[in-house]
Amino acid sequence: MKKSKHPETNAIRTQAKRSVHKEHSVPIYATSSFVFDSADEARAVFAEEIDGYQYTRFSNPNNDEFIEKLSMMEGVETGVATASGMAAIFLSLTAHLQAGDHIVVSQSIFGSTHQIITNLLPRWGISHTYVDIDDNDDWEQAVMPQTRLLFVETPSNPSLDLCDLEYLGDLAKRNNLLFVVDNTFATPYLQNPAKFGAHLICHSATKFIDGQGRVLGGAILGPKSIIKDVLPMARQTGASLSPFSSWILSKSLETLAIRMDRHCANALAIAQFLEKSKEVKTVKYPFLPSHPQFDLAKKQMTLGGGLVSFELHGGADRCKNFINNVEMISHTSNLGDSRTSITHPASTTHSKLTSEERERVNITDGLIRLSAGLEHIDDIIIDLQKAIDKSK
Ligand SMILES: *Cc1c(COP(=O)(O)O)cnc(C)c1O
C-alpha cells in the first residue's frame, strides 16, 4: 500500500508479509530460530548479503513490523526493538560512548536512567553534568571538548517540565553531539523529536504504546547511519524484545492515536478540575496556561499528554491520606494504562535519588503523579473529589 501522510493510517495499515494462510492479522512468530533452504543461503544470511531471518535475538517478523510502524510514526528511517524502555536507554547511551567521554543530561529524568548515569557509566570512565531541563544557558555551558552526547526526557517524569527541543537540536548540531530524547511521555503521536534535530529517540513502550499494562518493551529509533551502531550491541547483549510482546505492541500502535486523544482530553479536564479546587496547592500540566512553559509545549507537542502532577495543601501526610482514599483509581507505579493511576514518586519511582536531588527537580514529598486513563471523565473526577475530601 502507498504510504499515507497520516501516521495513524500507516500505524493501522502497515503489516508484516502475509504467510501462505493469508491471515488478516499477523500471527505471533513464536520461534527462536528460522530454517535455511541450503548451506549457501545460510552463509549469505549470516553474511548479511541477502535479507532473511536466522535467530530471534537478531530479528523476527513481529519485531520488524513493530519497528516499521513506530519509525514511520516518529518520521525516522529505522530502529531496534528492545526488551524494555531501560534497555533502549542503556543501549542508546553505551553504543556510542567510551571511556573519557562526557555527556550532558537534564536532571529531571526517570529514576532508573538517573541510576545508569550516576552509578554505572562512571565505572566505565564516562562522566556527566546534570543541568536544568529548561535552562538553555545551563545546557550550553555544560558542553566541554570531551562532550559527546546530550540526553533529555521531555516532558519529564514526574515534574512535567519541558526542554526546548529546537534549541537543543541546534546546540547538538553546532557542537557535533549526538542528541538523544526519551519520548515516552509524549509518544510519537504528540511529539516527533527528530523534527527538531534529535538523532536517537527512545521509548518505554510499556507505557502508552502498550496502553493496557500488559507487557514490558522499548525501542530506539533514528536514521540508519546511527542505528547501525546500536543494532550489533542490542543483538550481542540480548536486549531483544520477545515476539509475543512485539505482537502486542504492534497491535497497540493501531489504536495509539485514538487512545492518546482520550488520555489527553481526560488529563486536561483533571488538571482544570484540580486547578479550581481550594484544597490543591499546585498543578502541573503542559497544556494548562499556568504551566511556565505553556507556549513551548504548544510549539513542540500537539496535545498535553496523559500525565498530571499536583500537590495538595497539607504536605506529605495529606498526600498519603489522599492516596489511601482513592477507590476506583489504581495506586501503582505504572503509567499510560487504560486505567487511571496515581503514584507517590518521592517514596517509589524516585526514592533512590537523595532528597537534595529530588528537591532540585521539584519532586516534593507531597507530589502526586496521576496518569489519566480512558474511563469516563465524570467517574475519575468523582473519585478524586471523594479522596480529596476524605484526606482532610
Ligand atoms: C517507564 C519509563 C522508562 C523505563 O521503561 P521500562 O519499560 O520500565 O524499562 C524510561 N523512561 C520513562 C520516561 C519512563 O516513564
Side-chain angles (χ1 to χ4, degrees), residues 104 106 131-133 135-143 151 168:
V104 184
S106 111
V131 295
D132 273 346
I133 184 168
D135 185 340
N136 290 343
D137 292 339
D138 214 9
W139 283 95
E140 188 97 34
Q141 279 158 20
V143 175
F151 185 96
L168 294 188

Side-chain angles (χ1 to χ4, degrees), residues 83-87 89 110 112-113 153 155 157 182 184-185 203-207 216-218 334-335 369:
S84 68
M86 285 323 301
I89 288 165
F110 188 68
S112 296
T113 309
E153 178 187 309
N157 178 7
D182 179 342
T184 299
F185 268 32
H203 280 286
S204 167
T206 314
K207 313 293 168 55
L216 290 178
N334 196 25
L335 59 92
R369 184 191 74 191

Side-chain angles (χ1 to χ4, degrees), residues 25-38:
S25 186
V26 90
I28 304 175
Y29 287 89
T31 178
S32 45
S33 69
F34 299 82
V35 292
F36 305 107
D37 288 337
S38 67

Side-chain angles (χ1 to χ4, degrees), residues 32-36 45-48 52-56 58-59:
S32 45
S33 69
F34 299 82
V35 292
F36 305 107
V45 168
F46 270 82
E48 294 181 26
Y53 294 106
Q54 40 166 294
Y55 191 56
T56 286
F58 280 59
S59 56

